[in-house]
Amino acid sequence: MTDWFPTMPARLFFSSGDLMADRRFEFARDLQLKGDLAAAADLLLQAIELAPDFTTAWFTLGGIREELGENPAAVEAFRAAQASDPGDRHGAGLRLMRLGAAPLSAMPQASVQALFDQYAPRFESSLVGDLGYRGPALLFKAVLAVRSAAKKPAFFKRAIDLGCGTGLAAMAFAKEVDHFTGVDLSPRMIEKSRLTGLYAELEVADMLQGLCGRLDASADLILAADAMVYVADIAPVLAEAARVLAGGGLLAFTTETHGGEGVILGSGLRYAHAATHVRAALAAAGLKLSLIEDLSARNEDNVPVPGLVVVAAKT
Ligand SMILES: C[S@@+](CC[C@H](N)C(=O)[O-])C[C@H]1O[C@@H](n2cnc3c(N)ncnc32)[C@H](O)[C@@H]1O
């Protein structure tokens, strides 16, 4: 499958500290990759016997059991992975949410950070190359359309790029922005975006914290390309964005969506926000919706993932 990172076999590896247990894990991974899931699960249990707090082995075992259709046993393994790593860098909590064994809640920041740190070197080829990623281009087109309808120039003095990643959104908007600030949870993504030379300022932070540290009315444009999909509760981010935007400023973001109500965790382990939910959250933040379109920012298995492109204004 072409699905991007979370559903691929675990690549993050944290040593158990026990050489024998680590070796068994490596053998188990080989068997898993060869498709012998039952044998891989057996070896993982052996590794866990040697090192009971071996998070990576528990997490991998959870994934294998899920693939084998053994959901209660998968839940048990993911719970053990979570218990053995309080930061939950593998994101076992997300797997529990998807299995219906935990209520919908925020993604563990450590898992988002660990995943994007790991993917930073091949992020653009994976996302743009393999998944036909088009988030920044969609945002650019939408922002130009809103500005043109308002008969205003599409030029912004100060912009903030939330979840800036490697800097693709700044690249799309480079000619229309004077001063770009990038905010991202992943230090290695920030390193990549620094190399573009497009950002005047870069900050390793959660997007909400990043906004909270900004002055009132200090930005003219706030972007979030394929980043709200990692945020379960967008309401506080929208409220802070409204505070940080100057009058007439725009907030533009993409998100994944679904036909129901509220927020769900999609099959790709990203959140999908219903259009009604997005509208209500914008209204609660005091932002005026300028544009909302059903447009997909990426493909999965060569099929566009249902998505929204949203532009809202501070009036
Ligand atoms: C799929 S990438 C998109 C990157 C970039 N915006 C683009 O269009 O190429 C998502 C980025 O959001 C970042 N991210 C996810 N959750 C975040 C959060 N709560 N605060 C800040 N950054 C976050 C990730 O580290 C990652 O770099």
Side-chain angles (χ1 to χ4, degrees):
M1 86 190 272
T2 54
D3 194 6
W4 195 36
F5 60 83
T7 50
M8 68 191 293
R11 288 276 192 92
L12 277 182
F13 176 79
F14 303 112
S15 169
S16 65
D18 177 314
L19 199 65
M20 287 293 286
D22 285 2
R23 281 240 173 93
R24 295 219 169 140
F25 175 83
E26 285 310 322
F27 286 137
R29 278 283 293 153
D30 284 347
L31 289 168
Q32 182 190 14
L33 294 174
K34 285 180 188 140
D36 193 347
L37 299 185
D42 271 354
L43 262 178
L44 287 171
L45 282 171
Q46 289 176 29
I48 287 164
E49 219 171 284
L50 292 170
D53 287 333
F54 194 174
T55 309
T56 301
W58 277 119
F59 184 78
T60 308
L61 182 63
I64 288 177
R65 285 174 168 174
E66 196 179 346
E67 247 184 277
L68 289 168
E70 299 167 1
N71 285 2
V75 166
E76 196 189 315
F78 286 133
R79 287 215 168 109
Q82 207 179 26
S84 61
D85 178 23
D88 193 14
R89 289 165 294 176
H90 281 291
L94 283 177
R95 308 295 286 263
L96 289 168
M97 280 182 229
R98 197 175 61 175
L99 283 163
L104 192 89
S105 60
M107 278 190 196
Q109 282 194 3
S111 75
V112 176
Q113 199 176 66
L115 281 162
F116 282 100
D117 273 353
Q118 187 197 17
Y119 277 91
R122 58 182 185 284
F123 172 80
E124 289 185 9
S125 59
S126 293
L127 195 60
V128 181
D130 302 343
L131 304 182
Y133 177 58
R134 47 206 173 262
L138 291 176
L139 284 188
F140 187 61
K141 216 172 141 203
V143 166
L144 287 193
V146 165
R147 278 305 216 214
S148 147
K151 301 203 171 15
K152 285 189 186 164
F155 180 76
F156 304 89
K157 211 159 184 294
R158 302 151 302 172
I160 303 175
D161 185 5
L162 301 174
C164 63
T166 56
L168 294 175
M171 244 172 257
F173 282 80
K175 289 197 184 125
E176 327 299 328
V177 171
D178 231 8
H179 181 283
F180 244 117
T181 299
V183 178
D184 201 289
L185 263 179
S186 155
R188 291 190 64 194
M189 293 297 255
I190 288 279
E191 270 170 34
K192 285 273 176 188
S193 57
R194 199 180 301 286
L195 294 176
T196 65
L198 293 170
Y199 294 90
E201 237 182 293
L202 283 161
E203 188 182 350
V204 176
D206 170 71
M207 65 173 84
L208 180 57
Q209 287 166 354
L211 284 173
C212 286
R214 310 262 141 199
L215 296 174
D216 290 3
S218 57
D220 308 298
L221 175 69
I222 298 179
L223 300 171
D226 207 35
M228 294 297 191
V229 292
Y230 302 99
V231 180
D233 183 6
I234 57 173
V237 176
L238 300 191
E240 273 305 293
R243 183 188 62 76
V244 170
L245 280 174
L250 297 182
L251 165 69
F253 61 94
T254 63
T255 189
E256 292 184 9
T257 194
H258 64 108
E261 296 292 317
V263 188
I264 60 164
L265 188 69
S267 60
L269 295 177
R270 293 180 300 276
Y271 300 106
H273 301 93
T276 48
H277 179 79
V278 171
R279 285 174 185 273
L282 286 170
L287 290 166
K288 185 173 167 285
L289 185 64
S290 307
L291 174 152
I292 183 163
E293 281 186 291
D294 280 298
L295 288 170
S296 170
R298 66 157 86 186
N299 304 335
E300 246 170 42
D301 292 332
N302 296 317
V303 177
V305 178
L308 297 172
V309 172
V310 182
V311 183
K314 166 107 172 242
T315 49

